[in-house]
Amino acid sequence: PMHERVGKYEVLTRISTGGMAHLFLAFLPGPGGFRKFVALKKILPEAASDEQFVELFLDEARITASLTHPNIAQVFDLGRDERSDELYLAMEFIGGQDLSTIMRACARQGRELPIGIACRVVRDLCLGLHAAHTFVDLAGQPMPVIHRDVSPKNVMVTYTGQVKVIDFGIALARGRLTQTQTGQVRGTLSYM
């Protein structure tokens, strides 16, 4: 176990490392043994100097902090660690597996994903995406959020059967900080 502190969170272990960020299991400690578990995303030091990536990270935090829907992973907190000066994002910890892992497990057994599960995942995924597409801000202004990277790795299925869309890191929203240049494509090509 790691016993690192990031902001007000205690890090338990690393979950994964992506191209630009680490993902950790962490918790917010409180009185009487209180613990709120979170997934903590922290920008890798080499990515922290990439201004465009930092802007995308801030976009993800700002965009998804406002989205509240059972099929969208909730963002709780954005902060900067005082000691390391690194940005972090605290999100809902989802106990489960991403859809690509589930599909690979089925393939290893020579089976298809059961049709009932596939239909439920697609239905719930569509409900989450619809909530993002029809998002209205606190002032009542429509602020549609388009995910732009819907792929099995960004769809989590919990051990209790809930489906949650994760990683709005390259989402397109009105009023976002960074703009994609004309002709520049972001996302997973096979899912566009």
Side-chain angles (χ1 to χ4, degrees), residues 54-180:
V54 172
E55 295 291 297
L56 283 171
F57 190 83
L58 293 171
D59 274 345
E60 176 183 13
R62 207 183 73 259
I63 291 165
T64 49
S66 308
L67 294 174
T68 48
H69 188 272
N71 300 115
I72 297 175
Q74 183 72 55
V75 167
F76 300 130
D77 191 16
L78 169 69
R80 189 180 293 275
D81 187 56
E82 318 80 53
R83 288 174 292 283
S84 66
D85 201 40
E86 293 173 316
L87 284 170
Y88 64 85
L89 193 58
M91 303 169 290
E92 171 183 4
F93 173 72
I94 300 167
Q97 297 291 331
D98 68 59
L99 189 56
S100 65
T101 302
I102 295 168
M103 289 164 61
R104 278 196 308 275
C106 288
R108 275 195 304 275
Q109 295 177 5
R111 300 166 62 185
E112 296 275 321
L113 188 67
I115 191 77
I117 292 173
C119 290
R120 171 66 186 268
V121 168
V122 169
R123 172 197 173 267
D124 290 356
L125 170 62
C126 287
L127 288 172
L129 293 175
H130 177 72
H133 293 177
T134 57
F135 177 68
V136 175
D137 71 12
L138 293 172
Q141 293 299 307
M143 290 290 274
V145 178
I146 312 302
H147 190 288
R148 299 206 302 178
D149 194 15
V150 177
S151 62
K153 71 179 174 22
N154 287 332
V155 178
M156 293 292 294
V157 181
T158 71
Y159 295 124
T160 57
Q162 288 181 296
V163 176
K164 293 186 180 270
V165 185
I166 62 168
D167 204 355
F168 276 78
I170 60 169
L172 178 64
R174 287 186 39 220
R176 63 194 306 250
L177 296 172
T178 56
Q179 300 294 322
T180 302

Side-chain angles (χ1 to χ4, degrees), residues 17-40:
T17 299
M20 301 293 235
H22 287 304
L23 191 64
F24 298 97
L25 172 61
F27 66 91
L28 180 62
F34 172 89
R35 283 184 169 190
K36 172 76 175 173
F37 288 94
V38 298
L40 201 68

